[in-house]
């Protein structure tokens, strides 16, 4: 049971380049989330997916798009990277609230630098 | 939307002392309050959580208390050890159509000196 996995671990982009961050979970969870973590600001929700086929904006969605490819996979795309998107990105997943509560499990993170 | 404030931002204690981290939240509909520990370069790991129908929860050296009236909750670590050194985050979530979205506090850097 790998839990939540993310690729890549590190990435350097030039301003204006695009890329997709991949996330997968093998816990059969319905809900998945993308957060960014910046120094001194905790984690902020970018987008989430309550179930396969649905996505919705979080607190800081500008400059990002997401795709819930299937129940396992939830990707985050930067169409035109900007230096302000330099951050550590975490994917998380959560099972049904009725089974074990609202616990969210995080992936190992992707450290992205935009120059 | 929800706003979570966390204090202090840094906390330094001697090994064996207790550590307390406090959080306040703004949305009275929030009903789930987890605490995460994050070591340097690692992912956040859930260490304890509490639901709004419970006032206190304990797991060995870690406890969380919740005051719904005042809208604040606290993490208590007793008999601290150097391996407790990390960044701790509180978070809050409301049920129903929020789909488990978490709002995090800004984090507390805990340093335990041997």
């Amino acid at each position: 049971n790998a839990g939540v996995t993310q690729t890549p671990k590190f990435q350097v982009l030039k301003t204006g380049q695009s890329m997709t961050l991949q996330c997968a979970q093998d816990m059969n969870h319905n809900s998945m989330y993308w957060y960014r973590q910046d120094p001194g600001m905790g984690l902020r929700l970018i987008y989430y997916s309550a179930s396969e086929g649905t996505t919705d904006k979080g607190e800081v969605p500008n400059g990002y798009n997401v795709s819930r490819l299937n129940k396992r996979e939830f990707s985050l795309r930067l169409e035109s990277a900007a230096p302000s998107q330099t951050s550590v990105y975490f994917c998380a997943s959560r099972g049904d609230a009725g089974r074990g509560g609202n616990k969210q499990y995080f992936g190992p993170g992707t450290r992205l630098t935009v120059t | 939307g929800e706003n979570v404030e966390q204090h202090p931002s840094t906390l330094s204690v001697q090994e064996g002392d207790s550590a307390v981290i406090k959080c306040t939240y703004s949305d009275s509909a929030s009903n789930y309050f987890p605490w995460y520990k994050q070591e340097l370069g690692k992912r956040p790991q859930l260490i304890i959580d509490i639901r709004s129908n419970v006032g206190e929860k304990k797991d060995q050296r870690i406890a969380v208390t919740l005051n719904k009236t005042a809208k604040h909750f606290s993490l208590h670590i007793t008999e601290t050890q150097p391996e407790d050194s990390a960044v701790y985050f509180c978070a809050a979530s409301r049920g129903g159509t929020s789909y488990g979205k978490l709002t995090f506090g800004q984090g507390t850097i805990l340093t335990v000196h041997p």
Side-chain angles (χ1 to χ4, degrees):
Chain A
N1 220 356
V4 182
T5 57
Q6 291 182 237
T7 56
K9 285 188 169 56
F10 302 95
Q11 184 71 49
V12 179
L13 292 178
K14 295 189 188 304
T15 297
Q17 288 185 317
S18 62
M19 79 161 295
T20 300
L21 281 64
Q22 307 287 354
C23 173
Q25 51 90 12
D26 61 2
M27 296 177 282
N28 201 35
H29 285 169
N30 283 317
S31 301
M32 297 184 73
Y33 311 84
W34 276 105
Y35 294 91
R36 62 178 286 173
Q37 184 174 32
D38 303 298
M41 299 189 73
L43 290 97
R44 292 182 292 167
L45 183 65
I46 305 171
Y47 270 94
Y48 68 100
S49 171
S51 61
E52 184 179 354
T54 69
T55 61
D56 210 343
K57 296 177 181 179
E59 182 185 352
V60 288
N62 291 345
Y64 305 96
N65 284 299
V66 291
S67 295
R68 183 75 182 267
L69 305 168
N70 47 55
K71 192 170 186 179
R72 289 188 64 249
E73 298 172 289
F74 187 37
S75 62
L76 178 72
R77 182 159 178 84
L78 287 71
E79 290 291 351
S80 178
S84 61
Q85 294 178 304
T86 294
S87 189
V88 181
Y89 292 85
F90 287 100
C91 177
S93 71
R94 180 190 78 123
D96 292 339
R99 301 178 190 174
N102 295 335
K103 302 183 197 309
Q104 284 192 25
Y105 299 90
F106 283 81
T110 294
R111 187 173 295 274
L112 175 67
T113 301
V114 183
T115 60
Chain B
E2 175 67 280
N3 183 51
V4 177
E5 296 286 336
Q6 182 172 346
H7 299 282
S9 55
T10 61
L11 181 59
S12 182
V13 300
Q14 290 296 126
E15 183 176 1
D17 287 350
S18 295
V20 181
I21 303 170
K22 299 181 179 180
C23 289
T24 60
Y25 61 98
S26 62
D27 187 349
S28 57
S30 289
N31 60 8
Y32 175 68
F33 307 93
W35 285 89
Y36 285 85
K37 175 184 180 182
Q38 186 178 30
E39 296 175 346
L40 191 62
K42 300 290 180 68
R43 73 189 80 190
Q45 299 267 21
L46 180 70
I47 56 171
I48 195 167
D49 56 4
I50 192 168
R51 300 185 70 90
S52 59
N53 58 349
V54 175
E56 183 173 358
K57 184 176 179 181
K58 195 171 182 180
D59 183 3
Q60 298 182 350
R61 297 186 297 108
I62 293 173
V64 57
T65 57
L66 171 65
N67 184 326
K68 284 191 297 182
T69 304
K71 289 192 282 190
H72 68 69
F73 56 111
S74 300
L75 177 71
H76 304 254
I77 306 174
T78 58
E79 300 171 25
T80 54
Q81 300 166 3
E83 50 265 40
D84 293 329
S85 296
V87 182
Y88 291 81
F89 292 97
C90 63
S93 173
R94 59 191 299 181
T97 56
S98 77
Y99 300 109
K101 290 183 291 181
L102 291 173
T103 300
F104 283 85
Q106 298 87 340
T108 296
I109 301 171
L110 174 65
T111 304
V112 180
H113 299 283

